[in-house]
Amino acid sequence: EGNLSQLPHDIASLANQKTDTGLVLVETVQQTLATIQPWVSSGEPFILVGPEGCGKAMLLMDAFAREKSTVVAVINCSAQTNANNAMQKLVQMCGQPVSTNEGRVLRPKDSERLILYFKDLNLPKPDKYETIQLISFLQQLITFRGFYNDDLEFIRLEPSRVQIVGSMNPATTVGRHTLTSRFSAIVRVACCTYPPREQLQTVYYHKLKPALDGHPTYGAEPQIKKLAGTMLEIYDTL
């Protein structure tokens, strides 16, 4: 379980503690961060699963932003994304492999650590053998800490400096595909969902407050709370 003591608890004080992502740390967000932040810090491969629009990418980018000397490379997966896309991104972020006494090695060129973030990881389509090439490639990366290039040369990843992270909707979502158990068995998996209504109202309030600060009609706290509630009612109706 995540350690909630590592994160702030006073929701009212969190309006002044936003990261560049603008994330509002309501209780469900804190719980998810408390689960995934230790994995980010330790470099463990993991997947964050949740329904469409629940804030998976925003949660992850906030967790990444808390790490020092870390660069994030985002790969927005589609039905056609394959292993070559992942290799190209690795070379882009690491440069050409360097020769060491243990063989050829890729290491991040502009930071201590590199996080490869695969957004919508279960969008790539399987082939006629029901194999998803990208997932097989990532399985090789995680298991053997390297991969074979087009010249059949094994390229290692610098230990503890390249991390694999993914996010995805449940496989039951239209257009998504089930990941193999071989892959899911070697990564950590966390789940998140939509915050309850009262927490959503807190999020709306903190988003509206800076925009309405000083407004003669809607700048007062009760008016901002009322407007946040009205916006939620309209959202529920639609």
PDB file of all heavy atoms in Angstrom, residues 33 101 106 134-135 156 166 174 180 219 225:
ATOM      1  N   LEU A  33      -1.365   8.754  -5.793  1.00  0.00           N
ATOM      2  CA  LEU A  33       0.026   9.209  -5.767  1.00  0.00           C
ATOM      3  C   LEU A  33       0.839   8.454  -4.727  1.00  0.00           C
ATOM      4  O   LEU A  33       2.008   8.128  -4.953  1.00  0.00           O
ATOM      5  CB  LEU A  33       0.085  10.710  -5.487  1.00  0.00           C
ATOM      6  CG  LEU A  33      -0.186  11.645  -6.661  1.00  0.00           C
ATOM      7  CD1 LEU A  33      -0.217  13.089  -6.192  1.00  0.00           C
ATOM      8  CD2 LEU A  33       0.849  11.466  -7.760  1.00  0.00           C
ATOM      9  N   ASN A 101      32.920  -2.188 -21.409  1.00  0.00           N
ATOM     10  CA  ASN A 101      33.490  -3.532 -21.287  1.00  0.00           C
ATOM     11  C   ASN A 101      32.413  -4.604 -21.168  1.00  0.00           C
ATOM     12  O   ASN A 101      32.715  -5.795 -21.193  1.00  0.00           O
ATOM     13  CB  ASN A 101      34.452  -3.609 -20.094  1.00  0.00           C
ATOM     14  CG  ASN A 101      33.788  -3.215 -18.794  1.00  0.00           C
ATOM     15  OD1 ASN A 101      32.595  -2.903 -18.766  1.00  0.00           O
ATOM     16  ND2 ASN A 101      34.565  -3.204 -17.716  1.00  0.00           N
ATOM     17  N   LEU A 106      22.951   1.993 -23.874  1.00  0.00           N
ATOM     18  CA  LEU A 106      22.219   3.246 -24.019  1.00  0.00           C
ATOM     19  C   LEU A 106      22.045   3.884 -22.654  1.00  0.00           C
ATOM     20  O   LEU A 106      21.641   3.217 -21.706  1.00  0.00           O
ATOM     21  CB  LEU A 106      20.832   2.999 -24.629  1.00  0.00           C
ATOM     22  CG  LEU A 106      20.699   2.869 -26.149  1.00  0.00           C
ATOM     23  CD1 LEU A 106      19.252   2.559 -26.508  1.00  0.00           C
ATOM     24  CD2 LEU A 106      21.166   4.118 -26.852  1.00  0.00           C
ATOM     25  N   LEU A 134       4.732  -4.298 -29.734  1.00  0.00           N
ATOM     26  CA  LEU A 134       5.232  -3.332 -28.754  1.00  0.00           C
ATOM     27  C   LEU A 134       5.338  -3.964 -27.377  1.00  0.00           C
ATOM     28  O   LEU A 134       6.335  -3.774 -26.664  1.00  0.00           O
ATOM     29  CB  LEU A 134       4.317  -2.102 -28.699  1.00  0.00           C
ATOM     30  CG  LEU A 134       4.667  -1.074 -27.623  1.00  0.00           C
ATOM     31  CD1 LEU A 134       6.034  -0.453 -27.877  1.00  0.00           C
ATOM     32  CD2 LEU A 134       3.585   0.008 -27.542  1.00  0.00           C
ATOM     33  N   ILE A 135       4.321  -4.723 -26.970  1.00  0.00           N
ATOM     34  CA  ILE A 135       4.321  -5.335 -25.647  1.00  0.00           C
ATOM     35  C   ILE A 135       5.442  -6.377 -25.540  1.00  0.00           C
ATOM     36  O   ILE A 135       6.120  -6.470 -24.514  1.00  0.00           O
ATOM     37  CB  ILE A 135       2.952  -5.975 -25.342  1.00  0.00           C
ATOM     38  CG1 ILE A 135       1.855  -4.900 -25.363  1.00  0.00           C
ATOM     39  CG2 ILE A 135       2.979  -6.695 -24.000  1.00  0.00           C
ATOM     40  CD1 ILE A 135       2.080  -3.750 -24.403  1.00  0.00           C
ATOM     41  N   ARG A 156      22.228  -2.854 -24.379  1.00  0.00           N
ATOM     42  CA  ARG A 156      21.777  -2.815 -22.983  1.00  0.00           C
ATOM     43  C   ARG A 156      21.311  -1.416 -22.616  1.00  0.00           C
ATOM     44  O   ARG A 156      21.757  -0.429 -23.186  1.00  0.00           O
ATOM     45  CB  ARG A 156      22.915  -3.223 -22.038  1.00  0.00           C
ATOM     46  CG  ARG A 156      23.293  -4.676 -22.083  1.00  0.00           C
ATOM     47  CD  ARG A 156      24.158  -5.074 -20.884  1.00  0.00           C
ATOM     48  NE  ARG A 156      25.226  -4.135 -20.610  1.00  0.00           N
ATOM     49  CZ  ARG A 156      25.279  -3.335 -19.546  1.00  0.00           C
ATOM     50  NH1 ARG A 156      24.309  -3.360 -18.641  1.00  0.00           N
ATOM     51  NH2 ARG A 156      26.281  -2.508 -19.366  1.00  0.00           N
ATOM     52  N   GLY A 166       3.416   2.935 -18.188  1.00  0.00           N
ATOM     53  CA  GLY A 166       2.310   2.989 -19.136  1.00  0.00           C
ATOM     54  C   GLY A 166       1.020   3.378 -18.460  1.00  0.00           C
ATOM     55  O   GLY A 166       0.862   3.229 -17.241  1.00  0.00           O
ATOM     56  N   VAL A 174     -13.855  -0.018 -25.877  1.00  0.00           N
ATOM     57  CA  VAL A 174     -13.840  -0.240 -27.328  1.00  0.00           C
ATOM     58  C   VAL A 174     -12.488   0.152 -27.916  1.00  0.00           C
ATOM     59  O   VAL A 174     -11.944   1.226 -27.615  1.00  0.00           O
ATOM     60  CB  VAL A 174     -14.957   0.579 -28.017  1.00  0.00           C
ATOM     61  CG1 VAL A 174     -14.864   0.441 -29.540  1.00  0.00           C
ATOM     62  CG2 VAL A 174     -16.321   0.127 -27.527  1.00  0.00           C
ATOM     63  N   THR A 180      -0.790  -9.391 -22.475  1.00  0.00           N
ATOM     64  CA  THR A 180      -0.494 -10.771 -22.105  1.00  0.00           C
ATOM     65  C   THR A 180      -0.170 -10.872 -20.620  1.00  0.00           C
ATOM     66  O   THR A 180       0.369  -9.943 -20.015  1.00  0.00           O
ATOM     67  CB  THR A 180       0.717 -11.303 -22.904  1.00  0.00           C
ATOM     68  OG1 THR A 180       1.880 -10.549 -22.539  1.00  0.00           O
ATOM     69  CG2 THR A 180       0.483 -11.174 -24.393  1.00  0.00           C
ATOM     70  N   GLY A 219     -16.370  36.703  -7.088  1.00  0.00           N
ATOM     71  CA  GLY A 219     -15.061  36.526  -6.457  1.00  0.00           C
ATOM     72  C   GLY A 219     -15.107  36.004  -5.033  1.00  0.00           C
ATOM     73  O   GLY A 219     -14.109  35.489  -4.518  1.00  0.00           O
ATOM     74  N   LYS A 225     -17.949  28.547  -4.742  1.00  0.00           N
ATOM     75  CA  LYS A 225     -18.425  27.199  -4.404  1.00  0.00           C
ATOM     76  C   LYS A 225     -19.764  26.915  -5.087  1.00  0.00           C
ATOM     77  O   LYS A 225     -20.000  25.818  -5.596  1.00  0.00           O
ATOM     78  CB  LYS A 225     -18.561  27.052  -2.892  1.00  0.00           C
ATOM     79  CG  LYS A 225     -17.226  26.964  -2.158  1.00  0.00           C
ATOM     80  CD  LYS A 225     -17.429  26.786  -0.666  1.00  0.00           C
ATOM     81  CE  LYS A 225     -16.094  26.621   0.053  1.00  0.00           C
ATOM     82  NZ  LYS A 225     -16.276  26.468   1.520  1.00  0.00           N
TER      83      LYS A 225
END
